[in-house]
Amino acid sequence: MSEPVWNQFLTERDKAVFAASGYGARGGFGKRPALLVIDVSYAFCGERPEPILESIKHWRNSCGEDAWTGIAAIKRLIEAAHGKGVPVIYTTGVRRADHWDDGSWAWKNSRTDETGPALTGPVLKSNLDGNAIVAEIAPAPQDIVIHKQKPSGFQGSPLQSYLTLLGCDSVLVTGTTTSGCVRATVIDAFSNNFRVIVAEEGCFDRSQASHAINLCDMNAKYADVVKTDEILAYLRQLPAGLFELPKGAAAAE
């Protein structure tokens, strides 16, 4: 098995500290998981796989080609979760038309005032809503979509109450950005005593260094960061019929 992506960024001192301090122990999988797909929308992925410096010309929050590598791993996890009847819960952003509710998001990006769909900046030759989940992993009728305005999927949302309703004891976390909304969601899940598993290949970020180091830090303190194949093996061994999921409704043709 390949080494975790963060090893290339650690000094020998860092490795020695982790080994001596006891951090990074395995917390383990739960018995009743939900799969969380954090903010895998066009705003953060762009419309297609392309180099990030091209993608962010049109979608300022895009993670470029790394997003689409992550989407391929997430799709495998969603298919496995659906096969076992495990809840799949998506998050994405929501804004007023006048963007008054941007709040603190407006303070740290010089392109905040650009026109175009929410959170995207100017979009060329596109009518896509930046907050729409990318079509390749579009929610199924039984899936749950959480609309949020801040990094954590828990902040100001019904996510925790839905996990309680479903009887979940753990979350399998994927999505973007690793250093932002994924990390914030992981910390809140940990803070609410859920077991937390993060899919290493199923997360992505604009900064490769931030991606790697945040995975390292989450693995040290808040979550087990594991390979996607390990999560797939775990899902395969779960008994079917653990959850009473929403019935949903098929999309109109």
Side-chain angles (χ1 to χ4, degrees), residues 40 45 66-76 134 136-137 204:
V40 185
C45 302
D66 288 350
W68 294 86
T69 300
I71 287 168
I74 294 168
K75 184 174 182 180
R76 296 173 66 206
V134 298
E136 285 75 3
I137 57 164
F204 48 94

Side-chain angles (χ1 to χ4, degrees), residues 178 182-183 186 198 214-223 225:
T178 312
V182 168
R183 181 188 173 97
V186 163
V198 176
N214 276 277
L215 285 178
C216 176
D217 198 58
M218 286 188 283
N219 185 69
K221 295 179 287 190
Y222 309 118
V225 178

Side-chain angles (χ1 to χ4, degrees), residues 156-248:
S157 90
L159 177 55
Q160 184 169 348
S161 69
Y162 290 171
L163 293 171
T164 298
L165 179 63
L166 290 161
C168 294
D169 65 354
S170 52
V171 290
L172 313 171
V173 185
T174 66
T176 191
T177 61
T178 312
S179 61
C181 297
V182 168
R183 181 188 173 97
T185 302
V186 163
I187 292 175
D188 277 356
F190 169 88
S191 298
N192 286 295
N193 292 319
F194 291 100
R195 292 183 181 272
V196 186
I197 308 296
V198 176
E200 181 179 325
E201 303 93 334
C203 297
F204 48 94
D205 206 310
R206 287 175 290 276
S207 164
Q208 294 172 332
S210 290
H211 168 72
I213 293 302
N214 276 277
L215 285 178
C216 176
D217 198 58
M218 286 188 283
N219 185 69
K221 295 179 287 190
Y222 309 118
D224 293 348
V225 178
V226 304
K227 302 294 185 183
T228 299
D229 283 345
E230 184 174 346
I231 300 177
L232 290 168
Y234 159 72
L235 288 169
R236 283 194 292 269
Q237 59 81 43
L238 285 175
L242 283 174
F243 297 97
E244 184 177 346
L245 299 177
K247 293 182 174 59

Side-chain angles (χ1 to χ4, degrees), residues 78-198:
I78 291 171
E79 290 171 350
H82 284 164
K84 284 292 187 174
V86 168
V88 180
I89 304 177
Y90 297 76
T91 71
T92 190
V94 64
R95 288 289 185 276
R96 287 169 51 103
D98 61 9
H99 282 234
W100 173 85
D101 51 351
D102 277 354
S104 50
W105 284 119
W107 302 344
K108 292 295 292 180
N109 190 291
S110 62
R111 291 174 61 181
T112 297
D113 293 333
E114 290 179 355
T115 59
L119 301 179
T120 68
V123 178
L124 303 184
K125 300 180 181 178
S126 174
N127 293 317
L128 291 170
D129 177 359
N131 285 322
I133 306 298
V134 298
E136 285 75 3
I137 57 164
Q142 74 272 25
D143 296 337
I144 298 166
V145 179
I146 300 287
H147 293 94
K148 67 184 182 72
Q149 293 196 318
K150 297 301 179 184
S152 172
F154 289 87
Q155 173 68 33
S157 90
L159 177 55
Q160 184 169 348
S161 69
Y162 290 171
L163 293 171
T164 298
L165 179 63
L166 290 161
C168 294
D169 65 354
S170 52
V171 290
L172 313 171
V173 185
T174 66
T176 191
T177 61
T178 312
S179 61
C181 297
V182 168
R183 181 188 173 97
T185 302
V186 163
I187 292 175
D188 277 356
F190 169 88
S191 298
N192 286 295
N193 292 319
F194 291 100
R195 292 183 181 272
V196 186
I197 308 296
V198 176

Side-chain angles (χ1 to χ4, degrees), residues 57-73:
K57 290 177 181 177
H58 315 308
W59 304 85
R60 65 179 171 85
N61 285 318
S62 176
C63 298
E65 62 268 66
D66 288 350
W68 294 86
T69 300
I71 287 168

